[in-house]
Amino acid sequence: MSWNTFATVAETVKALDAKQVSAVELATHYLDRADALQPTLNAYITLNRDLTLAEAKAADAKRASGGEAPLLGVPIAHKDIYLIDGWRTTCGSRMLENFVAPYTSTVVKNMADAGMVTLGKLNMDEFAMGSSNETSYFGTVKNPWDVSRVPGGSSGGSAASVAAGLAPASTGTDTGGSIRQPAMFCNLTGLKPTYGVCSRYGIIAFASSLDQAGPFAQTAEDCALLLNAMAGFDPHDATSLDRPKENYARDLAKPLAGLRIGLPKEFFGDGVGAGIAKAVDEALAVYRKLGATTVEISLPNVKYSVPAYYVVAPAEASSNLSRFDGVRYGHRATEYTDLLDMYKRSRAEGFGAEVKRRILIGTYVLSHGYYDAYYLQAGKLRRLIAEDFKRAYDVCDVVMGPTAPETAFQFGAKSDDPVKMYLNDIFTICANLTGQPALSHPCGVDETGQHVGMQIIGNYLDEARMLNVAHQFQLATDWHKRHPSI
Ligand code: GLN
């Protein structure tokens, strides 16, 4: 069997339906390629051929007996933050190096119910804290376009695996940009849905009021098919939205005539690389050709996004990560004097430097006497930012701009200066603080040939429209069809 390793999910479904390929053949193809490229890219933390092939065989058997499911037999790789029963789940940390999940997260279960076959667990920044995949305990992931550069983070393995054709699609999580920024760095389409659309149950918590699951794929059409599988109400997650299922692919074919694109002047300022600005301008010209109009808007409070995020995210992380105490699960120090010493040593050994930094900041801002000055204040900023967007939607349907101010950078370029690293998320964080959906799609390259992403931020629950917008752009362009020669 010869298989186009860059086939989209939509094409893969067609090939399976036409019996041109079986689920076992597909799984074997991607597993072989994952093994071959693991030394170069380090995209996976765990591969388990037996578990994967058992699922693929079951999918083939179901097809043979006339069973149906929308994505039956299509392989998917999951970020190693999703619990999957029987699979090692590390969250990129030494703390969970040997942890085997006792149950399956709702998103993975939903995808399995849609017929998808788990290929493996993808590398990521430790506890999803990072923008470059350099904080993973299991080593950095390389960008398949240029292995001297980062793939973005924290879902770096998720992006690298799809970009390199090790999987047709993958899952990620996005707390401050961790789907959209790596999607840009690796020339993919990545979507962070509205907060509450995908259940957080069984996803290791980073910052609970910001975390959201979403897909990585070659195309917006694939993201729609994947979100159809991932989304849905879940009584196990108190913040899950209880609403009817929707078909996110329903509007893909709609023409863009009359679409109003808001361009926030704050997203087009000095900090944006010249090559990025140029690529985004050219992409906006394509959108205008497709019938859209653009209008300048202002989001005066988005400048507070990064400071507000670096109060809220560490605060919630410090609370969420308190469960890793060496008693119930995770790493336990072998030598200690008493119980307190055991906690301290286990956490000191189990967590890496960036995670410790966040726990320290979070504990500080939540401490008595500081709560009002920091966490409460950050909550007020979140509301102001949300109000900026609410006003914007009076004059536009979607908001666009560059996904990140810089393209994929070299390893080490920012790792000794956390603030520099944090600023890479300057355009993505606002959508997490407000809970709005946002995606990134390929839209060009900069002077050095690195990929540029266009971010589309939409109003709450407007995913179908945003995917329509990105899909129409992809029908008119071929940036998303470029693949690395790896
Ligand atoms: N880079 C951001 C951080 O380190 C966002 C991470 C994420 O979205 N998981 O917190």
Side-chain angles (χ1 to χ4, degrees):
M1 183 211 52
S2 86
W3 178 250
N4 168 19
T5 205
F6 297 109
T8 63
V9 170
E11 288 162 355
T12 306
V13 171
K14 278 200 195 111
L16 282 159
D17 285 348
K19 299 196 173 21
Q20 286 158 0
V21 71
S22 70
V24 167
E25 285 170 331
L26 283 172
T28 306
H29 166 88
Y30 289 107
L31 289 175
D32 289 349
R33 190 162 162 86
D35 280 342
L37 285 170
Q38 184 61 16
T40 319
L41 297 176
N42 198 27
Y44 281 94
I45 291 175
T46 304
L47 288 156
N48 187 326
R49 199 171 271 263
D50 293 345
L51 288 177
T52 300
L53 289 178
E55 282 186 37
K57 273 186 199 136
D60 282 334
K62 189 166 172 183
R63 271 188 183 269
S65 63
E68 279 177 27
L71 301 171
L72 187 54
V74 178
I76 176 94
H78 295 292
K79 184 175 182 177
D80 204 18
I81 197 169
Y82 289 83
L83 304 191
I84 311 182
D85 193 4
W87 283 80
R88 180 165 79 127
T89 301
T90 72
C91 219
S93 182
R94 182 181 183 200
M95 184 58 91
L96 293 174
E97 188 174 7
N98 300 310
F99 177 70
V100 176
Y103 69 97
T104 298
S105 60
T106 300
V107 163
V108 171
K109 182 176 179 304
N110 289 348
M111 296 183 110
D113 289 347
M116 302 198 85
V117 172
T118 296
L119 282 174
K121 307 296 297 290
L122 295 160
N123 204 344
M124 56 181 282
D125 277 307
E126 185 177 6
F127 285 102
M129 297 172 189
S131 304
S132 63
N133 230 290
E134 291 170 290
T135 73
S136 170
Y137 174 66
F138 300 90
T140 56
V141 176
K142 311 293 186 297
N143 188 319
W145 289 92
D146 175 350
V147 294
S148 72
R149 291 176 194 268
V150 304
S154 65
S155 315
S158 307
S161 61
V162 178
L166 312 184
S170 65
T171 56
T173 55
D174 190 312
T175 303
S178 281
I179 291 177
R180 291 159 284 159
Q181 182 253 25
M184 160 159 153
F185 283 16
C186 292
N187 201 44
L188 297 172
T189 307
L191 168 70
K192 180 200 89 74
T194 305
Y195 182 78
V197 161
C198 291
S199 167
R200 292 182 295 106
Y201 180 70
I203 299 174
I204 296 170
F206 167 7
S208 307
S209 75
L210 307 167
D211 296 345
Q212 187 52 205
F216 281 88
Q218 310 280 357
T219 64
E221 180 188 15
D222 280 5
C223 283
L225 302 177
L226 294 161
L227 187 60
N228 280 347
M230 297 172 81
F233 172 62
D234 178 10
H236 289 118
D237 173 359
T239 60
S240 167
L241 294 172
D242 189 358
R243 51 194 297 278
K245 274 249 178 206
E246 60 176 295
N247 175 9
Y248 294 99
R250 66 181 184 272
D251 290 334
L252 289 178
K254 276 196 181 168
L256 296 190
L259 178 78
R260 299 170 305 164
I261 301 174
L263 304 175
K265 61 174 197 267
E266 294 79 5
F267 287 9
F268 291 84
D270 285 347
V272 179
I276 295 183
K278 187 162 173 282
V280 165
D281 276 351
E282 285 167 9
L284 288 170
V286 173
Y287 274 116
R288 286 191 201 95
K289 248 198 219 143
L290 293 172
T293 54
T294 54
V295 52
E296 189 184 276
I297 59 169
S298 176
L299 303 169
N301 292 297
V302 289
K303 59 174 175 289
Y304 301 121
S305 296
V306 173
Y309 175 88
Y310 278 96
V311 170
V312 174
E316 295 182 10
S318 72
S319 169
N320 277 324
L321 270 55
S322 65
R323 74 191 68 183
F324 300 104
D325 56 6
V327 176
R328 284 166 293 182
Y329 32 65
H331 176 78
R332 180 183 298 177
T334 46
E335 280 170 38
Y336 48 86
T337 52
D338 56 16
L339 182 63
L340 192 62
D341 191 45
M342 193 270 282
Y343 289 152
K344 287 181 179 170
R345 283 177 194 251
S346 300
R347 288 168 67 82
E349 291 170 9
F351 291 136
E354 184 60 29
V355 174
K356 287 177 187 157
R357 175 160 33 235
R358 307 278 179 118
I359 292 173
L360 287 174
I361 297 171
T363 312
Y364 178 80
V365 299
L366 288 179
S367 54
H368 186 71
Y370 290 120
Y371 178 85
D372 288 2
Y374 294 111
Y375 195 76
L376 204 67
Q377 197 72 0
K380 291 178 185 167
L381 288 173
R382 291 176 77 166
R383 185 173 47 76
L384 290 177
I385 296 165
E387 283 169 5
D388 281 0
F389 277 99
K390 195 159 177 273
R391 269 191 300 276
Y393 294 125
D394 288 338
V395 297
C396 67
D397 304 307
V398 290
V399 172
M400 287 196 197
T403 302
E406 275 177 83
T407 51
F409 44 89
Q410 304 273 342
F411 286 100
K414 295 179 196 293
S415 31
D416 51 2
D417 184 347
V419 175
K420 250 196 197 164
M421 190 72 92
Y422 298 169
L423 285 172
N424 209 257
D425 300 321
I426 193 156
F427 300 137
T428 46
I429 278 175
C430 53
N432 302 82
L433 290 172
T434 60
Q436 296 172 100
L439 65 77
S440 178
H441 71 68
C443 78
V445 289
D446 72 0
E447 319 75 337
T448 66
Q450 304 310 309
H451 292 92
V452 178
M454 176 74 95
Q455 180 174 219
I456 306 178
I457 304 178
N459 209 343
Y460 299 105
L461 300 172
D462 217 7
E463 285 86 353
R465 189 210 308 251
M466 296 154 61
L467 289 162
N468 157 236
V469 171
H471 178 66
Q472 290 299 314
F473 182 86
Q474 291 179 340
L475 290 179
T477 56
D478 53 15
W479 294 111
H480 63 291
K481 291 186 183 150
R482 295 163 52 120
H483 305 294
S485 52
I486 191 155

